[in-house]
Amino acid sequence: MCLIIYKPANATVPTALLTSAIKENPDGFGVMFAENGKLNVVKDVDSSKVFEPVFRHTDKELLIHLRWATHGKVSPENTHPFKVDTGLWFMHNGVITIDTKDDPTKSDTWWFNERVVKPSRHAVFEAGFEDFLKCPLPSLGFQGIGNNNRLVFLDSQGRIQIINRGTWIEWEGLLLSNTYAYDAFGLGVIDKRPSNYYGTNWYDHEADSTGLLDLQGLSLKEIKDLCWEDPELIAEMIHDYLNQGWE
């Protein structure tokens, strides 16, 4: 699931945000930025080491990833960002449905990169690339990224492509990819996204007056079934409910 932070140049990433994110996402960090035509990447399987590169490059535009390993082992090859091509890397937050049985030690993002992103790497910054990523590719066991996955691409020229931009959260001059992978409530992060941004077929007709799925009205089996179908979405909805209080 994880967390991605986009930090504009000269913006500040609060220590409290990183501390909270490390606690929830201990399985590796990555930082990347472009400078003088070169893409710089720092990553490690120890998330607690994220402070040094973030605070050393406060003047730069940074992309920061902290990993919570849901698929694949904790390892350097599963740590974000992922290399697509020379001078092109990306980060992902979410769970991608794709066939991983050839090597389950590799994460869903690793397989997504190998089977979907690398073959289409020349189209990353073209119009329509996001729509392409949402198209199922049954032969690869890939169901499309939907609205519940956030991705960001960066190349050596400093070009950034943010996927599902409308589902990110703006806070203190930063962009955050979710509200559940850190203590959003304690930090005062307010989720101003539209209530229907999840974009799922069952969501619209099962929403309550707050615009959030009424989990209280579901049986335990129904909640389990939903969690099996889309665990990240349900986790985020539950987090939203806890932040707003049960009605």
Side-chain angles (χ1 to χ4, degrees):
M1 293 189 182
C2 316
L3 173 67
I4 304 172
I5 304 169
Y6 165 67
K7 185 196 84 66
N10 297 310
T12 300
V13 180
T15 299
L17 172 59
L18 290 179
T19 300
S20 178
I22 290 168
K23 182 179 179 181
E24 300 295 332
N25 306 273
D27 301 322
F29 85 89
V31 174
M32 61 180 180
F33 62 93
E35 185 177 38
N36 299 324
K38 178 183 178 182
L39 186 55
N40 299 273
V41 174
V42 181
K43 60 180 183 175
D44 195 284
V45 295
D46 182 355
S47 292
S48 68
K49 295 181 179 179
V50 70
F51 291 102
E52 195 278 331
V54 170
F55 293 142
R56 179 155 50 94
H57 299 293
T58 55
D59 61 322
K60 297 180 177 63
E61 185 178 42
L62 299 181
L63 287 160
I64 305 157
H65 187 281
L66 293 116
R67 184 181 183 224
W68 172 12
T70 53
H71 295 81
K73 65 181 182 179
V74 176
S75 64
E77 59 264 32
N78 286 332
T79 304
H80 302 230
F82 287 84
K83 182 178 180 180
V84 180
D85 201 353
T86 301
L88 177 61
W89 294 60
F90 81 101
M91 296 170 169
H92 165 238
N93 168 210
V95 177
I96 294 174
T97 301
I98 192 167
D99 187 0
T100 64
K101 66 178 181 294
D102 288 346
D103 186 353
T105 68
K106 299 295 196 304
S107 70
D108 54 320
T109 311
W110 189 94
W111 282 109
F112 170 67
N113 186 34
E114 294 298 313
R115 291 178 169 170
V116 179
V117 179
K118 285 184 177 181
S120 59
R121 61 191 179 277
H122 300 301
V124 167
F125 294 101
E126 293 182 6
F129 182 66
E130 180 171 323
D131 292 335
F132 162 72
L133 294 180
K134 293 184 178 182
C135 294
L137 300 171
S139 64
L140 303 179
F142 174 59
Q143 294 186 8
I145 63 167
N147 292 334
N148 306 318
N149 287 281
R150 271 73 82 186
L151 301 96
V152 59
F153 293 81
L154 176 67
D155 73 1
S156 57
Q157 302 306 308
R159 291 185 298 175
I160 294 176
Q161 170 75 296
I162 297 176
I163 303 298
N164 280 329
R165 171 64 178 80
T167 69
W168 295 59
I169 296 94
E170 297 182 13
W171 178 70
E172 300 291 329
L174 308 173
L175 269 184
L176 308 176
S177 63
N178 64 63
T179 58
Y180 56 79
Y182 55 97
D183 182 11
F185 181 75
L187 291 168
V189 177
I190 299 175
D191 189 349
K192 297 181 179 179
R193 295 171 295 186
S195 61
N196 64 347
Y197 80 93
Y198 300 103
T200 58
N201 292 332
W202 50 265
Y203 178 79
D204 289 338
H205 62 78
E206 292 190 22
D208 65 9
S209 60
T210 68
L212 298 171
L213 186 67
D214 185 3
L215 298 178
Q216 289 180 308
L218 299 179
S219 68
L220 180 60
K221 181 181 182 303
E222 288 172 322
I223 291 175
K224 286 181 177 179
D225 288 344
L226 287 174
C227 288
W228 178 259
E229 176 185 343
D230 197 336
E232 180 181 78
L233 178 56
I234 298 303
E236 192 157 346
M237 285 182 170
I238 291 172
H239 187 279
D240 288 344
Y241 259 118
L242 292 176
N243 277 352
Q244 295 188 22
W246 294 94
E247 299 294 337

